[in-house]
């Protein structure tokens, strides 16, 4: 750490010297000219992009207007980059769907015909003053499923637009698998969804918003999972589109179920499916909730589920538009979600309270530590006195709440300064002498075998780590208040304290086990 600090200091001094040099000042006009050329090239690329996509100008103008309202003139460059990304993603999505229909769909149709059983799947769709085009697309997306043992339960929540009732009746007359119920009093989406649940006869329940689309294979994938995995709750990946249902705003690839992640981020949204008996056992949606009722439902379903399954495939198109309830009530979503999450913690017996996270729809759960916890901090080392000293000093400086002992595993150190340092701190830490070939796993396992059985937790620590947050270990221990947590790791930064080295491990990233956030630059406010 000290070597890296001195290197950074030397680099800063070198940069300062260069900027104050005569050659740097003389070359100033050249650098300005280069910058102008780059900007001109950028503007040329924008012009070429717009020229090649003339027919999409109205859509681009609407997108640019949205960005401009948020950030003003500062958003001009980033807006065009986002619009260009939307265009590229849309082209990819259209080509993907063409190839999918040509090569994959016929195979899935054959697989569907070979299913040994075909459980009935009920699709619930509450409607209220729906956009007629969106509603027709949503219903047709169910009718076009390759899996045909379904029923569509539509409950209209007393729409004031009478054309909605007419559209629903037209579909119902032509398709006996569509059930309908027209409510006389508007009571909200939760009530309408529960009334659709009352109509449902299926073994499994799927939720579909009246302005969204499910992919042709969606119900087939659900049926496959029902037969193979016997799940209680299923969720999938999705694509977020513009108002036309085609322009791609974002591909959303979700992780496997994590009881900790769902407490900090309601990452499960669409497509979701539930075992019908389970959904009825918890009385469906909470009709008292007008906001975040889906997050509340998912948390209550999770509490009652034995098998929760993620299907890693885009099966849902979530259409975003400014008239949606989510857009209109964004300011209230956070407060409602926090109350819902606090209730979830109470029901599962976890002590803690929920605070706002670093961004919209992200939360931080502050838990209480369990009593009588004691940690053994195990630090293998060989020489490198400067690193070890910085590590030990930082631990002692930042920890004041947790009961802990430091065990330094000395692996045949030879340097006199290191041996003197170990003798110097022998009264404050415990030093264990290890001999043999270097093997990090073996050394740590050996150390654990030598410790007395008085510790509730082991912290395996490298000798080149420097602690920078007060009571960081207490924050780690609080996570163990959840019975589902067995291992906790902190985020690690490089020596500049703003670049992420390690924020968890993802198995399969870059075709191996890779670090989350590696080399990502953070602002101090995010750390």
């Amino acid at each position: 750490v000290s070597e890296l600090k001195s290197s950074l200091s030397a680099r800063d001094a070198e940069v300062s010297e260069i900027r104050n040099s005569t050659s740097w000042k003389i070359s100033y006009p050249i650098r300005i000219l280069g910058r102008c050329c780059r900007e001109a090239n950028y503007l040329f690329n924008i012009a070429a992009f717009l020229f090649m996509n003339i027919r999409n100008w109205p859509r681009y103008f609407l997108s640019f207007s949205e960005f401009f309202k948020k950030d003003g003139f500062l958003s001009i460059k980033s807006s065009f980059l986002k619009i260009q990304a939307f265009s590229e993603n849309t082209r990819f999505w259209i080509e993907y769907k063409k190839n999918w229909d040509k090569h994959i769909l016929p195979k899935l149709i054959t697989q569907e015909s070979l299913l040994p059983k075909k459980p009935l799947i009920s699709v619930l769709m509450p409607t209220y003053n729906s956009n007629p085009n969106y509603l027709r697309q949503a219903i047709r997306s169910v009718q076009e499923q390759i899996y045909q043992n379904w029923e569509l339960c539509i409950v209209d929540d007393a729409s004031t637009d009478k054309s909605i009732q007419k559209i629903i009746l037209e579909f119902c007359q032509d398709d006996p698998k569509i059930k309908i119920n027209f409510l006389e009093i508007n009571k909200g989406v939760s009530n309408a969804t529960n009334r659709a649940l009352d109509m449902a006869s299926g073994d499994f329940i799927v939720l579909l918003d009246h302005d969204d689309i499910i992919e042709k294979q969606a119900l087939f994938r659900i049926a496959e999972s029902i037969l193979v995995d016997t799940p209680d709750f299923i969720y999938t990946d999705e694509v977020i589109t513009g108002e036309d249902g085609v322009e791609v705003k974002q591909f959303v690839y979700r992780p496997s179920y994590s009881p900790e992640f769902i407490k900090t981020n309601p990452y499960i949204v669409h497509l979701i499916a539930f075992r019908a008996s389970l959904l009825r056992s918890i009385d469906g949606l909470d009709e008292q909730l007008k906001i975040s009722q889906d997050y509340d439902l998912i948390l209550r379903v999770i509490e009652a589920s034995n098998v929760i399954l993620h299907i890693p495939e885009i099966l849902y198109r979530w259409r975003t538009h400014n008239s949606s309830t989510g857009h209109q009530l964004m300011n209230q979503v956070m407060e409602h979600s926090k109350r819902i999450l606090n209730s979830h913690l109470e029901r599962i017996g976890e002590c803690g309270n929920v605070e706002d996270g670093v961004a919209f729809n992200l939360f931080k759960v502050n838990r209480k530590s369990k009593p009588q916890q004691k940690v053994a901090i195990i630090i293998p080392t060989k020489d490198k006195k400067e690193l070890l000293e910085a590590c030990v000093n930082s631990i002692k400086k930042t920890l004041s709440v947790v009961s802990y002992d430091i065990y330094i595993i000395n692996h045949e150190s030879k340097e006199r300064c290191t041996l003197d340092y170990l003798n110097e701190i022998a009264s404050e830490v415990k030093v264990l002498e290890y001999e043999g070939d270097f093997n990090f796993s073996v050394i740590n396992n050996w150390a654990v075998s030598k410790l007395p059985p008085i510790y509730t937790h082991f912290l395996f620590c490298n000798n080149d780590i420097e602690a920078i947050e007060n009571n960081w270990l207490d924050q780690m221990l609080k996570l163990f208040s959840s019975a589902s947590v067995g291992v906790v790791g902190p985020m690690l930064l490089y020596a500049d304290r703003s670049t992420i080295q390690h924020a968890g491990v993802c198995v399969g990233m870059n075709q191996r086990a890779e670090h989350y956030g590696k080399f990502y630059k953070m602002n101090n406010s995010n750390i």
Side-chain angles (χ1 to χ4, degrees), residues 332-343:
Q332 302 178 44
V333 168
M334 288 291 285
E335 289 304 316
H336 282 75
S337 294
K338 284 190 293 185
R339 285 199 291 270
I340 287 167
L341 189 49
N342 272 316
S343 297

Side-chain angles (χ1 to χ4, degrees), residues 112 115 118-121 140-151 175 177 216 219-220 223:
E112 191 273 342
L115 287 178
K118 295 186 178 181
L120 178 62
I121 298 175
R140 289 193 187 112
S141 75
V142 178
Q143 292 179 317
E144 293 171 356
Q145 292 295 299
I146 63 176
Y147 183 84
Q148 281 293 301
N149 194 22
W150 54 262
E151 63 178 12
D175 196 332
K177 293 193 289 186
K216 293 178 181 179
L219 298 187
F220 168 63

Side-chain angles (χ1 to χ4, degrees), residues 419-489:
L419 297 176
D420 289 344
Y421 174 69
L422 292 177
N423 289 329
E424 177 186 331
I425 62 172
S427 60
E428 303 176 63
V429 306
K430 298 173 174 60
V431 180
L432 302 180
E433 301 291 339
Y434 178 84
E435 296 180 356
D437 295 336
F438 173 78
N439 184 307
F440 191 74
S441 299
V442 170
I443 292 174
N444 281 288
N445 288 340
W446 175 85
V448 169
S449 71
K450 298 298 181 181
L451 302 187
I454 60 174
Y455 299 103
T456 58
H457 299 83
F458 299 117
L459 175 69
F460 299 105
C461 182
N462 288 5
N463 65 347
D464 59 349
I465 289 176
E466 183 178 353
I468 58 177
E469 291 286 339
N470 287 329
N471 295 318
W472 52 274
L473 185 54
D474 183 50
Q475 294 299 318
M476 293 175 67
L477 289 174
K478 287 178 178 178
L479 291 170
F480 287 103
S481 63
S482 172
S484 64
V485 175
V487 179
V488 175

Side-chain angles (χ1 to χ4, degrees), residues 487-518:
V487 179
V488 175
M491 180 170 68
L492 303 180
L493 305 177
Y494 284 106
D496 63 1
R497 299 195 179 189
S498 62
T499 305
I500 295 177
Q501 179 196 14
H502 185 306
V505 175
C506 176
V507 177
M509 184 188 292
N510 297 332
Q511 299 182 339
R512 56 177 182 260
E514 183 59 279
H515 295 174
Y516 278 116
K518 191 173 182 180

Side-chain angles (χ1 to χ4, degrees), residues 126-138:
T127 64
Y128 177 72
N129 287 344
S130 312
N131 179 299
N133 291 330
Y134 298 169
L135 179 59
R136 289 189 178 96
Q137 291 175 14

Side-chain angles (χ1 to χ4, degrees), residues 287-353:
E287 297 180 18
Q288 303 301 313
L289 294 174
K290 305 301 180 183
I291 302 174
S292 301
Q293 63 273 2
D294 48 352
Y295 187 31
D296 171 74
L297 176 67
I298 288 170
L299 291 175
R300 289 188 291 114
V301 164
I302 285 171
E303 294 164 21
S305 296
N306 293 317
V307 179
I308 299 172
L309 184 79
H310 168 233
I311 298 176
E313 184 174 350
I314 292 176
L315 300 181
Y316 196 97
R317 290 190 215 182
W318 183 7
R319 192 195 312 263
T320 59
H321 49 91
N322 291 332
S323 60
S324 67
T325 303
H327 277 87
Q328 295 173 346
L329 301 176
M330 284 181 64
N331 293 336
Q332 302 178 44
V333 168
M334 288 291 285
E335 289 304 316
H336 282 75
S337 294
K338 284 190 293 185
R339 285 199 291 270
I340 287 167
L341 189 49
N342 272 316
S343 297
H344 169 65
L345 293 176
E346 290 177 10
R347 289 193 300 268
I348 63 176
E350 290 189 15
C351 297
N353 66 288

Side-chain angles (χ1 to χ4, degrees), residues 253-269:
Y253 301 106
R254 298 191 164 92
S256 297
Y257 170 62
S258 166
E260 286 306 305
F261 192 30
I262 197 66
K263 294 168 188 169
T264 59
N265 177 15
Y267 70 95
I268 300 175
V269 187

